Amino acid sequence: MTNENQTNGSVAGTGATVTSVAASSSRSTPAHAMAPAEKPGKFSGIDFKRWQMKMLFYLTTLSLQRFIKEDPPVMAENTPDDERLVVTEAWKHSDFLCKNYILSCLEDGLYNVYSVMETSKALWNALEKKYKTEDAGLKKFVAARFLDFKMIDTRSVITQVQELQVIVHDLLAEGMVINEAFQVAAFIEKLPPLWKDFKNYLKHKRKEMTLEDLIVRLRIK
């Protein structure tokens, strides 16, 4: 009986030890970090908004995205010197990583221009100031191309429709929302002068057309 009790006690003790070790191991094992996304291609000065979104996601997977908005830490005057040093150096290290991840995704010419920036925030803001303004100018340019586009009688209507579709695609790529009903109405309105009767016929149709329906009708006209 004594041996049996000792055996049971030994097994129970072993089980408790295993459980304790497993729990300890579970607590000490860090949670898996998000796997880094694919590194964005090098920015050359074109299509900043798309590159910026990819870059932001990449930094997020590295847990560095906050440094594009953060200033260096400011601590209370009574903070001990050793604590102040630890906090400051840790921030500088992470900001250094963030800044250089961004710089490594710039083409050499831009790298040379922006590598003088002291912090990630300064770098990010400088890029935004330069290229978001240019993106806004591009939107106005593409919108003007769409508004000014007029079809002429001396060229194929289908060819001109395809050119107009490219402009619409550029508008959508710039984040401008143009629903299909508006596109159809605009395409009809831009038909050349010799298509006046057909244009009036299309404008007075009660059944709503898709852009694809319109192009099919133009092809068989």
Side-chain angles (χ1 to χ4, degrees), residues 2 24 41 44 46 55 65 73 80 89 94 96 100 111-113 126 132 137 144 146 151 173 182 203 212 216-218:
T2 302
S24 175
S44 63
I46 299 172
M55 192 73 230
Q65 77 283 3
E89 289 304 312
S94 295
F96 173 82
N100 280 279
Y111 181 97
N112 294 336
V113 171
K132 268 199 169 180
F146 177 78
M151 296 189 199
F182 179 84
K203 287 167 70 174
E212 185 177 352
V216 169
R217 283 182 168 273
L218 294 176

Side-chain angles (χ1 to χ4, degrees), residues 2 22 39 52 54 74 82 90 92 103 106 112 116-117 159 166 184 197 202 211 216 219:
T2 302
K39 189 175 182 180
Q52 186 185 42
K54 290 181 178 181
V74 177
D82 55 346
K92 284 182 177 179
L103 287 171
L106 300 179
N112 294 336
V116 297
M117 296 295 169
T159 298
V166 171
V184 170
D197 291 341
L202 292 174
L211 190 57
V216 169
R219 286 184 184 278

Side-chain angles (χ1 to χ4, degrees), residues 81-215:
D81 289 343
D82 55 346
E83 181 181 338
R84 186 187 301 272
L85 179 64
V86 169
V87 171
T88 301
E89 289 304 312
W91 188 92
K92 284 182 177 179
H93 175 70
S94 295
D95 183 67
F96 173 82
L97 291 176
C98 181
K99 184 181 74 171
N100 280 279
Y101 274 124
I102 298 171
L103 287 171
S104 69
C105 290
L106 300 179
E107 287 198 346
D108 290 347
L110 293 178
Y111 181 97
N112 294 336
V113 171
Y114 290 99
S115 58
V116 297
M117 296 295 169
E118 293 186 357
T119 65
S120 302
K121 181 180 178 180
L123 170 59
W124 194 260
N125 288 345
L127 289 168
E128 278 199 332
K129 184 177 180 181
K130 168 69 174 174
Y131 293 103
K132 268 199 169 180
T133 302
E134 291 191 1
D135 276 0
L138 180 60
K139 284 184 179 181
K140 292 177 182 177
F141 172 73
V142 176
R145 282 177 60 206
F146 177 78
L147 294 172
D148 293 341
F149 191 96
K150 299 290 182 185
M151 296 189 199
I152 57 177
D153 292 311
T154 55
R155 297 182 62 216
S156 162
V157 167
I158 295 302
T159 298
Q160 294 177 88
V161 165
Q162 290 170 345
E163 291 172 357
L164 194 53
Q165 283 181 292
V166 171
I167 297 175
V168 169
H169 179 271
D170 290 342
L171 286 171
L172 296 174
E174 289 300 319
M176 290 185 238
V177 179
I178 309 175
N179 65 41
E180 190 169 31
F182 179 84
Q183 291 180 46
V184 170
F187 278 48
I188 292 172
E189 195 60 40
K190 291 177 182 295
L191 288 171
L194 290 179
W195 289 61
K196 180 179 178 181
D197 291 341
F198 189 64
K199 179 163 68 173
N200 288 333
Y201 163 74
L202 292 174
K203 287 167 70 174
H204 290 91
K205 275 183 65 66
R206 292 188 177 182
K207 184 179 178 182
E208 192 170 304
M209 283 190 298
T210 65
L211 190 57
E212 185 177 352
D213 292 336
L214 174 61
I215 293 172

Side-chain angles (χ1 to χ4, degrees), residues 9-28:
S10 176
V11 171
T14 302
T17 302
V18 170
T19 302
S20 175
V21 170
S24 175
S25 175
S26 175
R27 285 194 299 271
S28 62

